[in-house]
């Protein structure tokens, strides 16, 4: 490890075991006043069959705000199911959430693009405004989140289904055998 608590530093893990988790890779912390950037490079964390691997991941936040952004290229697996991320960005500003980037699961076996059309208003566990698009393999699903927490879903521009809350939406793996 090198650096200091004023400017940040670099930590390189080489099969470091902490609480049963093996960590390998590099973490770089950069501090600029109250702004922090944490970058993970070729970092893996493994406990039994559970693995999180970040080819590159960056977290940015300010110590005086709940706003933050995270960008990930990597994957996670529990030994049976795997989800990959490529340039996947999550941005939180106040009660607003945006998701953008590519996702692939072992069930889908192809990249799909997640894109925020209108940021999600997230005062609780389900959005009360916003729109998300998921596109891949010549299809596009749009989800519009409404003030009553209901969700209207379109498939390729045609009405597909409505859900009472976001908790009722099927998971990405719902169509998998």
């Amino acid at each position: 490890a090198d650096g200091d608590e004023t400017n940040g530093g670099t930590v390189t893990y080489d099969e470091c075991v902490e609480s049963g988790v093996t960590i390998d890779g590099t973490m770089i912390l950069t501090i600029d006043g109250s702004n922090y950037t944490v970058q993970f490079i070729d970092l893996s964390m493994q406990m039994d069959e559970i693995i999180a691997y970040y080819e590159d991941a960056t977290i940015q936040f300010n110590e005086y705000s709940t706003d933050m952004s995270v960008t990930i290229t990597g994957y996670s697996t529990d030994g049976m199911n795997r989800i990959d991320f490529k340039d996947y960005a999550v941005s939180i500003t106040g009660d607003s959430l945006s998701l953008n980037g590519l996702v692939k699961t072992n069930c889908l076996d192809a990249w799909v693009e997640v894109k925020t059309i209108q940021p999600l208003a997230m005062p609780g566990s389900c959005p009360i405004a916003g729109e998300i698009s998921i596109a891949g393999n010549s299809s596009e699903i749009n989800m519009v989140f409404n003030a009553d927490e209901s969700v209207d879903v379109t498939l390729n521009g045609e009405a597909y289904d409505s859900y009472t809350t976001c908790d009722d939406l099927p998971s990405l793996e719902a169509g998998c055998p």
Side-chain angles (χ1 to χ4, degrees):
D2 68 6
D4 60 57
E5 58 188 53
T6 304
N7 300 311
T10 301
V11 176
T12 300
Y13 299 95
D14 185 11
E15 295 188 29
C16 176
V17 178
E18 182 69 37
S19 300
V21 178
T22 302
I23 306 170
D24 282 297
T26 303
M27 179 182 78
I28 302 168
L29 171 64
T30 306
I31 303 170
D32 181 11
S34 60
N35 297 310
Y36 293 76
T37 301
V38 182
Q39 184 177 14
F40 302 101
I41 301 169
D42 197 28
L43 184 88
S44 67
M45 296 175 283
Q46 181 171 356
M47 183 171 72
D48 300 322
E49 291 88 34
I50 300 170
I51 301 170
Y53 171 74
Y54 304 112
E55 178 182 323
D56 187 45
T58 303
I59 302 169
Q60 295 179 311
F61 63 95
N62 180 290
E63 70 179 303
Y64 301 112
S65 170
T66 57
D67 298 352
M68 72 172 356
S69 66
V70 178
T71 304
I72 300 170
T73 295
Y75 68 87
S76 64
T77 181
D78 63 5
M80 293 176 41
N81 300 301
R82 177 173 163 149
I83 185 165
D84 289 72
F85 301 95
K86 185 186 282 184
D87 299 324
Y88 194 77
V90 178
S91 178
I92 300 169
T93 306
D95 287 343
S96 178
L97 172 69
S98 294
L99 308 167
N100 294 286
L102 300 172
V103 177
K104 178 170 71 168
T105 67
N106 52 328
C107 168
L108 296 174
D109 199 30
W111 291 103
V112 295
E113 181 181 16
V114 177
K115 185 172 23 176
T116 299
I117 307 301
Q118 178 185 5
L120 305 180
M122 299 284 301
S125 62
C126 282
I128 58 167
E131 183 177 357
I132 295 286
S133 166
I134 301 173
N137 198 23
S138 302
S139 293
E140 182 176 18
I141 294 174
N142 277 44
M143 293 175 280
V144 175
F145 298 88
N146 303 302
D148 64 357
E149 293 189 357
S150 66
V151 185
D152 296 319
V153 178
T154 60
L155 176 62
N156 298 324
E158 300 291 326
Y160 178 75
D161 210 342
S162 292
Y163 299 89
T164 305
T165 73
C166 69
D167 296 325
D168 299 326
L169 287 167
S171 72
L172 279 176
E173 301 295 332
C176 295

